[in-house]
Amino acid sequence: MSRRLNYRHLHHFWVVAREGSVARAAEALDLAPQTLSSQISTFEADLGTRLFERRGRRLVMTDTGHRVFQYADPMFRTAEELEAWLDDAQAAPARKLRVGIVASIHKLFAYRVIAPALETTTPVTLRCRTGTPEDLTSALARHELDVVITDRPPAGDEDFRWYLNPLSQSAISLFAEPALAQSLAPGFPNSLEGFPFLASALEAPYYQQLMQWFRDQGIRVHEAAEIDDSALIKVFGRAGLGVFAAPTVIREEVCRQYQVEEIASIEAVRDQIYALYGVEGMRHPGIQAICSES
C-alpha cells in the first residue's frame, strides 16, 4: 500500500524533536500546544507507530522517531537556508551604478559627491571610469554609463536628451612641496612670476579661470607640464616639480595625503562640477542620492 506523507505534520514533528518539548515548539510555530499535540498524534496514527514517548517530564524520540528525524532534518534545514537566501536576495537587490568621471576633476572632490550613492537603502555596486568629456558623454548616450561627473556642460546633441545637475563648487587653492610653499606664500601672487606650474587639462573651466586671474594680476606663470590625471599631478607637485591647483574644499585631504602645503586660496576662481545623466537616471537611487546633496 502506498503511503503519502503529510509534510506539514512532518515539519511539526521535526520542530518538536529539535526543540525538545511541545511547549517550545508550539511557541516557535505560533500554535497552541494542544493543537500541536493533536497533530503529532495524528501523524503517529498515519505512520502506524510512535515517534515520541514520555519519560517523566521529558519527551524522548523512539527509535523510529530518530530514524524519521534523520530524514527530516536535512530536508527542513535546506528549506530554511533557501528561505533565508530568498529573503536576502529580494529584500535588497544591489543595483549597478556606472559612473564616468572627467579626468581633469580632482578625484577627492569627485569622491565627495559620489559617496552619498553608497549610503542609500538600496545597495549600489559602483563602477567608475575616467576619460575625456567627449568620450564619457558618448558612452552615456550609448547607455554604457548611468551618470557622468563633469566640470562642463556637454555640446548640444539632439539625439540624446540629458539633464545637467549642478553638484558642488569650491574656490581654488594652490599647493606645493612644503619648503617650496613656505617660500612662495609670503609674496603671493608675485612670487609665482615665471614659476613652474603643473596644469591639469588646459581646457578645464577652472584652469582657464585661473590663468585669466594670473593675467589680471600681471603674473606670468610657466606652464611646466600638462597632466590630465588629477592624482598624478599631486605626485609631481609633492616631488617639488612645480605648483598645482586643487579645490579649496579638499585642501586638508590633499595636504595630508600628498604631504604638500597650501600656498593660498583664490576665491575668485571657482571649480564647479555637475552630474550629467539621461532620462533613465532620474529613477536611479544612486543618482538621486548624488543630486539630492547638491
Side-chain angles (χ1 to χ4, degrees):
M1 177 179 176
S2 176
R3 186 188 306 275
R4 295 181 60 87
L5 283 174
N6 185 315
Y7 285 96
R8 180 181 295 275
H9 289 166
L10 178 62
H11 178 251
H12 290 170
F13 156 76
W14 174 72
V15 176
V16 172
R18 184 188 64 184
E19 296 296 328
S21 79
V22 170
R24 287 198 297 270
E27 184 176 352
L29 293 167
D30 195 23
L31 293 173
Q34 297 84 352
T35 300
L36 183 56
S37 293
S38 175
Q39 291 187 355
I40 296 298
S41 296
T42 300
F43 188 45
E44 290 177 325
D46 290 342
L47 297 181
T49 185
R50 296 290 302 275
L51 300 175
F52 295 103
E53 60 182 24
R54 287 279 180 184
R55 292 183 184 173
R57 294 186 176 183
R58 295 174 56 220
L59 193 64
V60 180
M61 281 187 287
T62 64
D63 290 343
T64 302
H66 278 291
R67 188 64 172 168
V68 173
F69 183 80
Q70 288 174 354
Y71 281 103
D73 191 49
M75 290 171 49
F76 292 116
R77 286 188 184 277
T78 300
E80 285 188 343
E81 290 173 4
L82 175 59
E83 288 179 352
W85 180 85
L86 289 171
D87 287 344
D88 289 343
Q90 293 173 1
R95 293 192 60 175
K96 294 178 183 176
L97 179 61
R98 301 165 300 174
V99 182
I101 305 171
V102 170
S104 59
I105 294 176
H106 291 268
K107 301 308 181 289
L108 290 169
F109 199 14
Y111 167 76
R112 285 195 172 205
V113 301
I114 295 172
L118 300 176
E119 300 169 359
T120 63
T121 54
T122 301
V124 169
T125 300
L126 188 64
R127 294 183 178 177
C128 296
R129 60 185 268 197
T130 60
T132 67
E134 296 77 18
D135 289 344
L136 296 178
T137 301
S138 296
L140 182 65
R142 295 192 301 268
H143 305 287
E144 296 171 4
L145 295 172
D146 299 306
V147 62
V148 172
I149 306 302
T150 182
D151 54 6
R152 68 207 77 174
D157 188 342
E158 296 180 357
D159 296 328
F160 173 52
R161 184 181 177 186
W162 46 259
Y163 296 88
L164 189 69
N165 194 98
L167 295 179
S168 183
Q169 65 169 301
S170 171
I172 287 294
S173 287
L174 301 181
F175 301 85
E177 179 272 329
L180 194 56
Q182 292 168 19
S183 69
L184 293 171
F188 181 83
N190 294 329
S191 57
L192 266 62
E193 175 69 32
F195 199 83
F197 192 86
L198 306 174
S200 61
L202 300 181
E203 74 278 4
Y206 87 84
Y207 181 74
Q208 294 295 320
Q209 292 181 44
L210 181 59
M211 292 300 105
Q212 183 59 52
W213 185 85
F214 279 131
R215 288 192 289 271
D216 292 344
Q217 306 304 310
I219 305 298
R220 293 173 298 174
V221 296
H222 169 52
E223 294 176 356
E226 180 185 359
I227 304 168
D228 69 357
D229 186 290
S230 65
L232 185 58
I233 201 171
K234 297 177 180 67
V235 174
F236 275 72
R238 180 178 61 192
L241 299 179
V243 171
F244 68 91
T248 302
V249 70
I250 59 170
R251 60 185 163 194
E252 291 183 6
E253 293 99 320
V254 169
C255 291
R256 181 177 61 253
Q257 186 169 337
Y258 294 95
Q259 292 88 53
V260 294
E261 289 188 8
E262 183 187 39
I263 299 169
S265 176
I266 307 172
E267 288 292 327
V269 179
R270 313 295 293 183
D271 190 12
Q272 172 75 64
I273 58 177
Y274 308 84
L276 177 71
Y277 53 91
V279 176
E280 299 85 354
M282 299 178 68
R283 298 186 296 274
H284 196 296
I287 297 175
Q288 291 174 353
I290 289 171
C291 294
S292 67
E293 295 294 318
S294 60

